[in-house]
Amino acid sequence: MDTLTFLLSGTLLAATPLLIAALGELVVEKAGVLNLSIEGMMALGAAVGFIVVSNTESYWLAIFIGGLVASALSVVFAAVVLLTLGNQVATGIAVGILGLGLSALIGQPYESMTVAPMARLPIPLLSELPIVGRGLFDHVAVVYLAPLLAVAVWFMLMKTKLGLIVRAVGESPESAHAIGYNVNAIRFAAILFGGFMAGVAGAFISVASTTLWANGLIAGRGWIVVALVVFATWRSGRIVIGAYLFGAATIGELLVQSFGLAIPSQLLTSVPFIATIIAIVLLSMDGRSIRLNAPVSLGRVYHVTQ
Amino acid sequence: MHFKTLTWLAVAGTLFTAGAAQAEEMTIGFIYPAPVADVGWAKQLDLGREAIEASFGDKVKTTVVENVPEGPDATRIMNQMVTDGADFVMLGSFGYMNDGLRLAGRNPDVSFLHASGFKQTDNFGTFTPRNYEGFYLGGLAAGLVTKTNTIGMVGAFAIPEVVAEVNAITLAARKANPDVEIKIIWLNSWFDPPKAQDAARALVSQGADVLFSLHQDTPSVVNVAEAEGVYVVNTGSDMSAYGPNAVLASVTMDWTDYFVREVGAALEGNFNGSDFRGGLSDGAVKVKAWSKDLTADQLAQIKDAEAKLMSGELHAFAGPIKDQKGQERVAAGANLPDPEIFGMNWLVEGLEGSLPN
Amino acid sequence: MMRLPWVIETKTERSTSAPLIAPFAAVAITVCAGVIILSILGVSPGKALFFLYFAPFSSGFNISEVFLKMGPLLLIAQGLAIGFRAKVWNIGAEGQLLLGAIGGSLLPIFFNDSQNPLMLPAMALVGGCFGMGWAAIAAWLRARYNANEILVTLMLNSIALQLLFYLVSGPLRDPLGFNFPQSALFPDVGMLPILFSGFRVNISIFFAIGVSLLAWLFVERSMTGYKLEVGGTAPDAARYAGFSEARAIWLSLLIGGTAAGLAGVFEVAGPLGQLQRVVSPGYGFAAIIVAFLGGLRAIGILFAAFFMAVIFVGGDIAQTSAGVPFSVNIVLQGILLVTYLAARVFVDYRVRFGTRRRIPAGAG
């Protein structure tokens, strides 16, 4: 493995879970709901996925069930914010704590265990390309699927009637309600989808990327996901770019450290975070794109009195 | 009525025996910074706890609180332990030091053992592994087996204990193979296995064919080494089951003898807080799981060095040693004294990178 | 399909009993869940629940611990709530707290043998400014460049942690401490006075309560507080009244950052007594929940911070004394917070059960 191969493959591997979870969160936020429980849902998906692989050796089943269980946890979030009108920020953090606790509880018997890695799917011909072949085209299938998912989410949101309804609900729930859409049902579905994607992302980390389970495995990546959606100014294409850039920055930090420069390592570790701030400043200078894409009702409690 | 009487008798009996037992048995509380898993620092401490139970049987009762982060909450947990009647407390992380000392000051009847600290009192002892001795052997092996002449290390924080290990590895590896180049990546994170793995892959991409997993509790780096077909030396427990082809050696810690000895002293009322620094010669540090890929000749060299380290004929930091700027730190014929080993904040010649000062 | 079996209406008046019912309902539900989980795991539920919810009140030491834990939560949450009411989402209290701890540590580290009684106020001043300055970065980027403050404050949390790691393992390290990554212990003049000998709670709890009073006056009684809230919720109306969105952003973040910075000073000058790698067990994030549990109102936050401190301290005690696994502890905390947030519906709205011939709220 040479430097470039590692930079490419490491970036894809680090970015894939961020991308998948961020696409889910994008749909949730487009529907006007801010769900900050991603970290906990990813952790639960990771624990469940790992347990399924340990017992069945079926990776796809593990990723699917990981998503499903995280989705079940997001029902709790949906119920509190939609049915009892709980504050979204606080409920998100609280459900996140619940998810982290549940992952630690069910993962306890599997602490520090490993599983065999998921089989890679080298793409014929492409994976034999010089220089970039192994870095880009010799991965588990999920890595290739993630950008395709981004296209699917973009298509759903921007080109289908369903997407129009989701966005309408996020822009103005009152108007969406007035023209006959069930705002809560749509938001409920969006939250379930977001939970599923976060669970899939978590399961990807435990069964395909690290192939081990340990309490605290997600280590703050759920918060990066939240930042990524904001960074992308609520656009699918920019989520893809943002996820790969952030992945590349974290990989680049480690590479630069291995060169042995006389720079404090803590400064290098901070580089991806500093770079993200600089990037958002550059992207935000023109405020129009944000105002165009940010869901107007994001985070607001929706409550029809009469 | 009959049933009721029986129940009362049973309850009274339990109370009585519990009371009687309490008068004799010694309660020993253990606080670990991480969950007890199959491998890792907390696991090695817990093996020590099991050894105490096996040796003293009914005379002791042990309790465990795991996954206690350093910081203001750890204090509450150790205080609660003492309030609940613990006679002996094992503090399994450096960060518990100051509050542990305060608690020990207020409770002179309670004995304390504290991992990796540097302050002792009559009832507050400390224990630190001389892991650098084990890693010296690991470095020797790495220097012997590397084909790319590149060794990579993954560490969490550049604390003195780990810096000493990094230096010992470098000295030994360059002794076996003067052309060896060493690369380090610091994670600067309490716990992040995915990042540790990325760091390991980054090192492999830079040509490292022997990795060192410094104080990573999970087999994260071992896993990558196995997948990438390189060797790895890890800390804590024997991790050869996680990387049967990759593990070159595991530098493990064994606290069983030490814990049993200290608890035994406390049971006899002779506990005296001292500073225990256990290395190869006391069996506190053991290098296990030597790879079968090592040739008989290589293994003989390693075993020879091990025997000399144990006898004191060889010291991991025997002079002359220069730091990375070329300044002499240890003169020829001298050994680096303990306080400087355990407070190391400079890198030896041949290492790149920098430490904050 | 999504028709609800109850009707939620906006309240016309505030009831006095509802705010008390919510936490008790939440505890009741959590207790039921706890009994089930603990029974499955073979831990005695009665014993565990006693230690979780009663033991925090069982001794002077434990009560002192509750107030010790409550202080930073209360202080940070009051600061954050002012910003949240103006819809400024400062998620960076954790980083601002760390900067406050760093700033507050400079004087006692560099003047380690000082006996100047002004040390403590000076530390608070420097630390508060550091916290404020860290938040000001986010305020400036938002006001000047429109950079979203959620993202910037989240990133600044990670950067603050690396800065702390760098400083305690380098420039601020104790020169006599064998190069361990921690600072020298603070001199006595740099420590907050303890309230009761042998217990850890210090005078900073009174400061936090005093700040709560100020927050109440600011939010409920002052014109600036009112304008600030309007500035966030209805920027156009506020601009008309001569109060810009930018001022709302600056004021919100500076207040939140200062409060968090002070909390950081009080941690290093209180229970820690030095600067070290771990300063906060996530106070900056927990305070966000506290702010909302308290309904973003100063008095509500006072009770919410107490409630939160009780469940944290109870969790630690239960882990030690009843052998409750740490994971169960976190699960029960999660359930408790979630059910409390759900139960708040009774505080914030009027709920009538049974379907009337009206369009159910929020269903459509």
Side-chain angles (χ1 to χ4, degrees), chain A residues 179-239:
Chain A
I179 52 173
Y181 291 116
N182 187 334
V183 172
N184 271 359
I186 289 157
R187 289 188 165 177
F188 215 113
I191 293 169
L192 288 192
F193 176 74
F196 181 82
M197 295 288 267
V200 166
F204 173 85
I205 290 178
S206 68
V207 309
S209 169
T210 62
T211 62
L212 66 84
W213 166 252
N215 177 42
L217 183 73
I218 303 302
R221 284 170 181 73
W223 291 100
I224 300 292
V225 167
V226 173
L228 204 55
V229 179
V230 181
F231 173 85
T233 60
W234 294 274
R235 291 201 282 189
S236 331
R238 277 199 181 160
I239 287 189

Side-chain angles (χ1 to χ4, degrees), chain A:
Chain A
M1 191 165 58
D2 57 279
T3 306
L4 187 64
T5 302
F6 166 69
L7 185 60
L8 295 173
S9 70
T11 299
L12 290 189
L13 209 58
T16 296
L18 302 178
L19 175 55
I20 293 172
L23 289 170
E25 178 71 5
L26 171 69
V27 173
V28 181
E29 293 193 15
K30 274 287 186 189
V33 179
L34 181 63
N35 183 354
L36 295 183
S37 66
I38 307 290
E39 178 86 5
M41 292 196 296
M42 283 176 79
L44 186 59
V48 169
F50 189 85
I51 294 170
V52 173
V53 166
S54 301
N55 293 299
T56 67
E57 287 174 27
S58 168
Y59 290 83
W60 289 105
L61 187 70
I63 290 173
F64 181 72
I65 299 205
L68 225 51
V69 174
S71 198
L73 178 65
S74 71
V75 170
V76 174
F77 172 77
V80 175
V81 300
L82 299 179
L83 304 186
T84 68
L85 312 183
N87 174 275
Q88 294 174 8
V89 174
T91 308
I93 297 175
V95 171
I97 293 174
L98 182 57
L100 287 173
L102 286 171
S103 73
L105 180 61
I106 62 169
Q108 177 71 41
Y110 297 87
E111 185 72 30
S112 276
M113 289 192 178
T114 57
V115 289
M118 188 175 183
R120 279 198 293 229
L121 187 74
I123 296 180
L125 300 176
L126 286 179
S127 62
E128 276 144 54
L129 281 176
I131 309 173
V132 295
R134 264 205 66 203
L136 293 180
F137 302 109
D138 185 13
H139 286 281
V140 297
V142 184
V143 173
Y144 315 127
L145 285 177
L148 299 180
L149 272 173
V151 175
V153 166
W154 169 80
F155 187 81
M156 189 280 286
L157 279 175
M158 306 310 283
K159 300 286 168 192
T160 66
K161 186 164 178 226
L162 179 65
L164 188 69
I165 299 169
V166 169
R167 285 185 292 139
V169 162
E171 286 303 313
S172 171
E174 292 80 11
S175 332
H177 170 72
I179 52 173
Y181 291 116
N182 187 334
V183 172
N184 271 359
I186 289 157
R187 289 188 165 177
F188 215 113
I191 293 169
L192 288 192
F193 176 74
F196 181 82
M197 295 288 267
V200 166
F204 173 85
I205 290 178
S206 68
V207 309
S209 169
T210 62
T211 62
L212 66 84
W213 166 252
N215 177 42
L217 183 73
I218 303 302
R221 284 170 181 73
W223 291 100
I224 300 292
V225 167
V226 173
L228 204 55
V229 179
V230 181
F231 173 85
T233 60
W234 294 274
R235 291 201 282 189
S236 331
R238 277 199 181 160
I239 287 189
V240 179
I241 298 169
Y244 290 134
L245 276 182
F246 193 85
T250 52
I251 294 298
E253 181 245 309
L254 299 170
L255 266 180
V256 172
Q257 273 206 48
S258 73
F259 299 157
L261 306 177
I263 301 171
S265 63
Q266 292 89 350
L267 179 62
L268 293 173
T269 304
S270 303
V271 163
F273 311 117
I274 297 170
T276 307
I277 292 181
I278 294 172
I280 190 74
V281 168
L282 294 176
L283 282 174
S284 310
M285 282 173 153
D286 174 18
R288 273 174 310 172
S289 78
I290 297 173
R291 293 208 189 97
L292 274 177
N293 290 290
V296 174
S297 76
L298 183 62
R300 256 186 13 220
V301 166
Y302 164 64
H303 175 220
V304 184
T305 41
Q306 290 302 321

Side-chain angles (χ1 to χ4, degrees), chain B residues 127-137 161 251-258 261 275-287 306-312 314-316 338 341-342:
Chain B
F127 61 100
T128 311
R130 292 180 188 274
N131 279 333
Y132 64 88
E133 292 186 348
F135 276 110
Y136 186 90
L137 299 176
E161 190 181 346
V251 178
T252 69
M253 289 149 245
D254 183 345
W255 302 116
T256 51
D257 291 349
Y258 170 67
R261 195 166 71 227
D275 183 22
F276 174 69
R277 294 193 171 155
L280 291 170
S281 56
D282 350 61
V285 173
K286 287 182 177 138
V287 187
E306 185 175 29
K308 284 180 175 159
L309 279 171
M310 286 168 102
S311 70
L314 176 67
H315 190 280
D338 263 5
I341 294 174
F342 290 96

